[in-house]
């Protein structure tokens, strides 16, 4: 495993971090915790989680692993967790959230605590309000409950720069991958140049990258899969301090650790070629984060938006999209939903939550048109 200094701190962190959003919910907490312990034994020492992840099981799973490590006298690992400004709008609620995470995970302190899911500047401003979240987190820091304050962002690069320029945080966690990097790379480069830590999450773009090995083959080197190329992009980029990966198998951990030792960064010419290939379409890609799953009509919006990626990224025709809606290969996109695209009432709650700022309502209207063109209907 390769280690680097997290800028602005005295901590040597593994370039591969364990992301706690992808635990198998069909496994027991103890089985999932065993994955964490295996990753620790392989050299991974940065572990990221949040309240609510994995049906609110993620922090509990980490707690099982951390208690075992501490019982063995092992303290050489770093913990990252988070809270949202809207969930903790007061100093008191922010403090309570920190203490709850500490209790659940059984640890004396949180090394990197994030103001979570800043999607626009008003979220940052809410966290900084007098008597608000940031004041509570600073109090926790003064009490030794937190080492470093960071923020988790789903903003375009220009807004990431604005937040960094306020000099209130040590680092930033962002969704960065081989497809969407042009959208946020300005923020990545600025953070790197100014001495802030950069943690990259969502390296496989919500599963979009491995689902399109054939179409995205041009991204990979000979003998390399597209998935491996995407992981290499994040892990080997010198601008990225830590690459978070959600592991489902021990073999995935082995592959990531091996890559950390030998991965070669993409050349500037390679990145320019990728930008040219997609002509700015990567700004409009759904990453499958799931935050938009708030529809009062029960529409599985993340599934529909991943389906729309087919048009956005690969310029499918209307006829191809109509065929795809109920095609066997992509049936899962539209079948697992209580409401259909045409049931949208345009409340725009989904758009308010979207981390990519997508025009979801307009897209649902298009998809509803595709669905109406088929004679078959799916019982939901």
């Amino acid at each position: 495993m390769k280690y680097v200094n997290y800028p602005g701190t005295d901590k040597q962190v593994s370039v591969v971090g364990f992301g706690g959003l992808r635990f198998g919910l069909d496994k027991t907490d103890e089985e999932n915790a065993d994955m964490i312990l295996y990753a620790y034994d392989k050299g991974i020492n940065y572990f990221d989680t949040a309240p609510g992840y994995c049906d609110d099981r993620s922090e509990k799973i980490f707690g099982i692993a951390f208690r075992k490590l501490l019982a063995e006298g092992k303290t050489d690992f770093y913990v990252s967790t988070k809270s949202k400004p809207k969930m903790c709008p007061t100093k008191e609620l922010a403090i309570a959230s920190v203490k709850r995470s500490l209790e659940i995970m059984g640890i004396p302190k949180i090394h990197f605590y994030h103001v979570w899911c800043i999607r626009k500047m008003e979220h940052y401003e809410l966290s900084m309000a007098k008597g608000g979240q940031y004041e509570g987190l600073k109090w926790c820091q003064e009490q030794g409950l937190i080492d470093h304050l960071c923020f988790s962002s789903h903003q375009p690069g220009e807004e990431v720069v604005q937040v960094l320029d306020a000099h209130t945080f040590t680092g930033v966690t962002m969704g960065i991958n081989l497809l969407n990097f042009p959208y946020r790379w300005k923020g990545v480069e600025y953070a790197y140049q100014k001495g802030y830590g950069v943690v990259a999450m969502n390296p496989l773009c919500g599963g979009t990258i491995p689902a399109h090995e054939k179409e995205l083959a041009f991204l990979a080197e000979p003998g390399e899969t597209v998935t491996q190329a995407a992981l290499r992009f994040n892990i080997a980029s010198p601008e990225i301090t830590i690459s978070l990966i959600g592991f489902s198998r021990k073999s995935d951990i082995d592959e990531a650790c091996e890559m950390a030792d030998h991965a070669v960064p993409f050349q500037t010419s390679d990145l320019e070629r990728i930008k040219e290939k997609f002509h700015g379409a990567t700004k409009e890609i759904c990453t499958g984060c799931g935050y938009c799953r708030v529809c009062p009509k029960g529409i599985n919006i993340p599934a529909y938006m991943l389906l729309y990626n087919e048009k956005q990224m690969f310029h499918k025709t209307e006829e191809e999209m109509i065929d795809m809606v109920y095609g066997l290969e992509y049936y899962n996109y539209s079948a697992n939903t209580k409401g259909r695209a045409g049931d949208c009432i345009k409340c725009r709650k989904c758009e308010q939550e979207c981390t990519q700022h997508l025009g979801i309502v307009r897209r649902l209207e298009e998809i509803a048109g595709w669905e109406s063109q088929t004679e078959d209907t799916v019982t939901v």
Side-chain angles (χ1 to χ4, degrees), residues 1-16 43-46 75-78 112 148 241-242:
M1 175 56 63
K2 179 181 177 182
Y3 298 89
V4 296
N5 174 251
Y6 191 108
T9 79
D10 60 352
K11 295 173 173 57
Q12 295 294 308
V13 294
S14 53
V15 297
V16 173
I44 293 174
N45 71 356
Y46 185 96
T75 60
D76 55 341
F77 60 90
Y78 302 113
F112 297 92
H148 309 289
T241 311
I242 302 167

Side-chain angles (χ1 to χ4, degrees), residues 211-212 300 303-304 306-307 310 324 330-337:
H212 295 90
N300 188 340
Y304 274 125
L306 288 172
L307 169 65
E310 300 290 333
M324 191 173 291
Y330 293 98
Y331 179 85
N332 62 302
Y333 281 139
S334 57
N336 185 23
T337 179

